[in-house]
Structures are given as C-alpha cells and as structure tokens.
Amino acid sequence: MKVRVRYAPSPTGYQHIGGLRTALFNFLYAKANGGDFILRIEDTDQTRYFDGALEDIYETFNWLGISYDEGPEKDGGFGPYIQSQRTELYQKYAKQLVESGHAYYCYCDSGRLERIKKIQEANKMAPGYDRRCRDLSPEEVEELKASGIQPVIRFKAPLEGKTVFEDEILGRIEVENSTLQDFVLLKSDGFPTYHLANIIDDHMMQITHVLRAQEWIPSTPSHVLLYKAFGWEPPKFCHMPMVMGEDGKKLSKRHGATQVIEFRKNGYLPEALLNFISLLGWSYNDKDEFFTMEQLQKIFDIKRINTSPAIFDYKKLMHFNGVYIRQSSIERLVDLTLPHYIEAGLVSKEPTAEEMAFLKKLMPLVQERLELINQAPEFSDFFFGELPPYKTWEMIVPKNVEKAKVVEILSDIRKVVEADFDVKEDKDLEQQLYELSKKHEVKAGAVFMPLRIAITGINKSPEMFPVMHVIGKEVSLKRIDNAIEKLKQEIAG
Ligand code: GLU
Ligand code: ZN
C-alpha cells in the first residue's frame, strides 16, 4: 500500500518549530517511501482563525524546500483540502453516527455546562459532561426541541472496557473507557470539532500513517473509537516526542524565537534550520549530524524517532548556521546580506556596481566568522568609509605599554605598509611586524592589537592584512595616521 501522510495544521497563527518538525517528518517519511505528502488545513475553529496563517505555511514550505503532493493548491482527487469547505460531509457523517446509535443530540446550553463545571469543581469531581442527554426519553427530546436550543452531536463513548492502540513509536497504549468523555462531534453552528473532521478526512484521504506530536496522544483513543463506530480501519499512529526548551519545559516564547518567520528574519539559512529540525527527535546514527534535504529524503526512517523529549538547543542551531554559511558561495552571501547592509546604511538603496564589487571583496572575510546573516553589517562596518567606528578604542594601548610607545610602534608599522604593502606577501609583512615587536621589546600582541584597532576600531576582526587589502593601501595609511594623531592628542591631554 502506498504511504500517504499528511500535515494538518490549524491556521491559528504563524508556523512554529513544533509544527514545522511535524511537517518535515511527514514530508521526509513520504519521500523516503515513495509516498504522498498531503497538506490539509484544519480550520474548523473559526473563532481562532488567523489571517495570514495560510500564506505563512506556503512561504515556510517554499523557503525550506518542502512541497506537498496534494493540498489546497494541488488537487489529487481527495479535495477539497480545506476543512471549512467540507462541512456538509462532516454533518452527514455525524448524523450517520446518531442513526447507528454511536452518537446523540445534546441540548445542554453553555449555562448548564458552566453549572456542571462549578459543581464538579466544588465537589472535587472529575470534570466533563455529565451525559444528561445520552438517554433522554422521546418526550424529553420533544420538549427540548421545542425550547429552540440548537443541539450539538456528542459521541457515545463506551462506559466500560478498554481502548487499545499500537503506537509505531511508543508501543501499546491503553486507556480505560470510563476515563473518556462523550466529546462533541458537531457543534451547534454545524461545524465539526477537530476530532470528527480529522478522522473523517484521514479516512477519506486514505492516510496510512498519522505522524504527530505526543501532545495528541490523549485524543487518540477517542479517534480509535470513532473509527470503530464508522467501521473503518484506523491508520497507523506515530507520536513524536515533544520539543522542549533546555529547562525541559515545552518550547515557548520564554526560550527564544519559536516561529519560523522569526528564524528567517533573524538570519538563519533554510538548510541550517532544516537540518537542525530534522534532529529534533530523530537521528540517523550516533555520530552524523549534517544532512542535506536530498540525503534526508533518502535516509529518514520512523524507526529512529526517539521516545524522549527533543531539546531545542539554540546554540547548536547557531553553530549549524555558521557551518552552512561557511559552505555558501560568496554570491549567495552577498545576495542574502545585501538588504541588511542597505538597512544599516552602509550600502545605498540602489547599490552601485562599485558597492556590489566591494561587498564581494569583503565577503570572504565576513564569511569566516558570521553565524547569522543579519550580523553581517555589525561584523563588517569597519570596511566602509574613511575611518572605522572605534568600538574598543581604549584597547589600542596594550597592558604595560606607554602611549608614547604605541605611537612609535604605529609609526614603524606605517613605514612597513608605506614601503612594502603592494610588493610583499602578507606573511612577509607579518614577519616584519614580529621583528618590530622585538625591536620595541614588546609582545607580538602589542604590535598587532594597535594596528587592529587603528584599522578596524575593534579588537576582534578577521586577519589584518586581508582586511587592509580590501580597504586598500591609501585608506589603511589614513587610518594609521588618524590613530597616531588621536593618541598624540591624548598624550597632550
Ligand atoms: N489540526 C491539528 C493541529 O493543529 C492536527 C493534529 C493531528 O495531526 O491530528 O495540530
Ligand atoms: Zn446534554
């Protein structure tokens, strides 16, 4: 039988990491098994509908390279794939369950349900609907109908026995039926609940495996009972571990970014996020962690989904991103960082050919240390303009070295640059700086750091001579001169 899996988000907000993990694992499972990946929009709770959620799903998929075989914009013969367009189908099946004795009309209004809840709370009783309407006499039904209340349809859960299902990841799961509720199938406005719509669609769309997060386990026994009531074969269930923050609590805003759109804005590369997400509750073996989308589509296997929670390690994601940045081409990095340079005012809104060429020239040096795309301007602002922003100016004077000595050292460096910058190799220039440190009887750092501050204004930067080649000899000399001048003024007080 062909594998058919689905991602069934409710459009209540922007895509978050947990949803993306579910989407990705379903997609990969389908691809690894020559199956179909279906996107179904579960928008039956109209009160929680979020405008833009759908767009965000499409954009997320596009960005990461996840594509669906069937879904809202790709009919595969099982549509529509948006639940609000399937209401009549759910109504028909809900009524069918009433007729077969598996469901019943409930006329309890919200006022009565509130009262029951209060009584249960006051008496420390288990919460839930008290099943008043489960066994109404025909006269009582007539009376309630006459009162004009729009009923809901509730499932008639068995009062005794057990419901058991085999989870592909967690093994056998069983619950006492006495703990289950007569849950609502169809609301009074005619819309189905998640439970009803979800299982009808999984059945109608011939879903073979339901891969979703463990938070849905409590719903599964009710679903199994519903399948039974309809006389349908349930799909296989595969419940994936929850995604947690480092404190072991469910991942939320408190931990950091959780929405895909935030990671996009914050400078993550799609392949880095994708690779990282693929490891949230899954592993290939005990050592390999770096995989491309193509590889994942071949090697993904639900047998290697973990049972224990997946910890979302932001530092590790950042590290992954750095690794992928270093694998990127310079052209791509220029493209991706350009909007950030423009925003930072370092490049004009309509970049000139010169500006583009300059970005291309400095990018290899930025690429070495960058971990997030949008850090590029702050990592490289010193390349722009005549003088750098002196962010750690005071570090131009190394420990135990006199300011006047720094002036002498910089003046000597200036001579080296003036004479040899264009004619000697970087390593020979460096060698001359080491010799200067001997001449002035200071550590090598007391030569390199003043130069670094003079050129970049910051104590951490790429290697000096490559930086100086990007800004050119003239600007380099100007910057050294300016540093000498500033120091002299300081000495003069
Ligand atoms: N609509 C549910 C959600 O928002 C789907 C759960 C499931 O996969 O059954 O996650
Ligand atoms: Zn009732």
Side-chain angles (χ1 to χ4, degrees), residues 106-108 112 129 132-133 154:
C106 164
Y107 295 88
C108 299
R112 173 159 198 276
Y129 174 59
R132 179 193 74 161
C133 304
R154 284 186 186 273

Side-chain angles (χ1 to χ4, degrees), residues 131-151:
R131 299 187 158 116
R132 179 193 74 161
C133 304
R134 186 168 161 132
D135 300 301
L136 293 175
S137 67
E139 296 78 45
E140 286 171 312
V141 171
E142 279 316 310
E143 207 175 297
L144 287 163
K145 263 191 187 161
S147 72
I149 295 171
Q150 275 299 317

Side-chain angles (χ1 to χ4, degrees), residues 6 8-10 22 40 42 194 198 202 210-212 216 223:
R6 51 41 170 204
S10 300
T22 301
R40 183 174 76 222
E42 302 207 323
Y194 152 71
N198 185 269
D202 281 349
V210 168
L211 256 87
R212 62 185 172 200
W216 297 99
H223 295 182

Side-chain angles (χ1 to χ4, degrees), residues 121-133:
E121 277 167 8
N123 295 295
K124 300 209 163 57
M125 290 154 67
Y129 174 59
D130 67 354
R131 299 187 158 116
R132 179 193 74 161
C133 304

Side-chain angles (χ1 to χ4, degrees), residues 319-366:
H319 169 70
F320 269 46
N321 208 51
V323 169
Y324 279 100
I325 284 177
R326 274 170 278 299
Q327 288 174 12
S328 290
S329 70
I330 295 303
E331 287 70 22
R332 181 178 180 219
L333 290 180
V334 168
D335 270 1
L336 291 173
T337 53
L338 180 60
H340 299 288
Y341 282 109
I342 293 174
E343 201 188 323
L346 294 169
V347 170
S348 41
K349 278 206 180 70
E350 307 276 341
T352 62
E354 261 179 359
E355 285 176 314
M356 293 307 289
F358 188 63
L359 281 185
K360 221 170 147 178
K361 211 158 121 191
L362 64 85
M363 199 52 66
L365 298 177
V366 176

